[in-house]
Amino acid sequence: MTPTHTDYRLSQLDQLEAESIHIFREVAAEFEKPVLMFSGGKDSIVMMRLAEKAFYPAKIPFPVLQVDTGYDFPEVLSTRDNWVNRLGVRLIVASVEEAIKNGVVVDDGKTSRNRMQTGTLLHAIEENGFTAAFGGGRRDEEKARAKERVYSHRDEFGQWDPKMQRPELWSLYNGRLHEGEHMRIFPISNWTELDIWDYIGREGIEIPTIYFSHQRRVFERDGMLLSESEHNPLRSGETVEERTIRFRTVGDLTLTGCVESTASTIDEIIDEVAVARVTERGATRGDDRFSEAAMEDRKKEGYF
């Protein structure tokens, strides 16, 4: 039967993309100095692609910011540089190592570099005068992120109060700020891990190779497989062995675990994620395991 009209309904992925692009444009129009937090991981890469689409054919009208722990995976940094060079955006690197040297954060020998990112990030935002910072947080990742708004207000100390969030009825966002305050913006809040992978596949997006199955020397600690590295000294009883693994999320290599997997293509990863019952952060991020409220505690302090 010949169709009599055109179907203009959008797919779920198209709806998510349209919502995110709308948020990018709203922020660019409303805030004086936005910045996109860009780690080189899959979520921030999808954000970069959405920003590219939002302002095409013009260049992205704000810089990107990476908080460098000094313990990042080389494959991730390489992909980060490829994206920055291709799009011609300005990259600002806030180094935890430099922050320690300058007394911005204190290295007590116990606190992880990942946790020191908070002070380093807040210093970079204040130093550059950024009024809005795009982040790649998604509500399906973790409980604290599930209750956070798209426009997430931060006070003059960079802190988040979950009890003082602003309503966002009908996707109307309140971006008003007092002196010294800033807003964290989460354009992909409503996406899931599966949506991210569907979008990466559809758009043919370049991502770090460590997201795909490969051989790696790893050891087990606290129920996670961690990479062998000079930054990860073995403890008593730990042994290194080579396994076929991939990473579901990337971050500080001393705290980011991998999973055993043979998924070497986007389609195979989608099939794997579709049956997963634990989020990527819950399964492979050691920094979220310190306590039941570890993420919320860090977000209150100013974390991503």
Side-chain angles (χ1 to χ4, degrees), residues 12-13 16 42-43 46 138 140-141 188 190-202 246 248 266-280:
Q12 179 196 7
L13 213 52
L16 289 170
K42 68 182 189 308
D43 296 315
V46 166
R138 307 188 323 268
D140 76 317
E141 286 182 287
I188 60 172
N190 294 326
W191 296 53
T192 66
E193 184 183 8
L194 197 55
D195 294 326
I196 293 292
W197 282 110
D198 282 335
Y199 193 72
I200 289 171
R202 190 185 82 174
R246 75 175 191 87
R248 287 181 67 186
I266 298 289
D267 288 339
E268 289 174 349
I269 290 174
I270 289 172
D271 290 341
E272 186 178 271
V273 171
V275 297
R277 289 295 173 264
V278 181
T279 69
E280 67 263 53

Side-chain angles (χ1 to χ4, degrees), residues 123-186:
H123 178 72
I125 289 174
E126 181 180 5
E127 187 176 50
N128 290 278
F130 294 127
T131 52
F134 293 102
R138 307 188 323 268
R139 288 179 175 139
D140 76 317
E141 286 182 287
E142 201 275 339
K143 289 181 290 186
R145 286 182 166 173
K147 64 185 180 183
E148 191 164 19
R149 302 285 194 262
V150 173
Y151 274 37
S152 183
H153 175 262
R154 296 295 193 272
D155 64 20
E156 64 270 27
F157 302 107
Q159 297 176 334
W160 175 58
D161 184 351
K163 295 180 181 179
M164 294 292 289
Q165 299 189 84
R166 299 172 179 182
E168 293 180 345
L169 304 175
W170 307 292
S171 297
L172 297 175
Y173 306 112
N174 179 356
R176 294 181 181 177
L177 297 172
H178 293 294
E179 185 70 28
E181 299 175 343
H182 72 276
M183 201 71 75
R184 301 286 173 85
I185 313 291
F186 299 102

Side-chain angles (χ1 to χ4, degrees), residues 35-169:
V35 65
L36 192 156
M37 292 188 282
F38 184 59
S39 67
K42 68 182 189 308
D43 296 315
S44 65
I45 285 175
V46 166
M47 293 251 297
M48 190 77 107
R49 174 62 173 162
L50 291 166
E52 178 185 10
K53 281 191 166 188
F55 304 106
Y56 183 83
K59 288 187 175 182
I60 296 174
F62 39 75
V64 298
L65 169 68
Q66 187 213 0
V67 181
D68 179 16
T69 63
Y71 297 162
D72 294 298
F73 292 94
E75 298 91 340
V76 175
L77 296 180
S78 175
T79 305
R80 176 205 69 183
D81 292 341
N82 290 345
W83 273 88
V84 167
N85 293 334
R86 182 176 72 79
L87 295 179
V89 294
R90 181 165 68 96
L91 171 65
I92 300 169
V93 176
S95 167
V96 172
E97 188 67 45
E98 288 298 315
I100 293 170
K101 289 180 181 177
N102 295 331
V104 174
V105 295
V106 177
D107 185 1
D108 59 7
K110 300 176 183 177
T111 306
S112 72
R113 287 288 182 96
N114 188 275
R115 193 146 190 129
M116 292 182 207
Q117 285 181 303
T118 300
T120 307
L121 170 63
L122 293 178
H123 178 72
I125 289 174
E126 181 180 5
E127 187 176 50
N128 290 278
F130 294 127
T131 52
F134 293 102
R138 307 188 323 268
R139 288 179 175 139
D140 76 317
E141 286 182 287
E142 201 275 339
K143 289 181 290 186
R145 286 182 166 173
K147 64 185 180 183
E148 191 164 19
R149 302 285 194 262
V150 173
Y151 274 37
S152 183
H153 175 262
R154 296 295 193 272
D155 64 20
E156 64 270 27
F157 302 107
Q159 297 176 334
W160 175 58
D161 184 351
K163 295 180 181 179
M164 294 292 289
Q165 299 189 84
R166 299 172 179 182
E168 293 180 345
L169 304 175

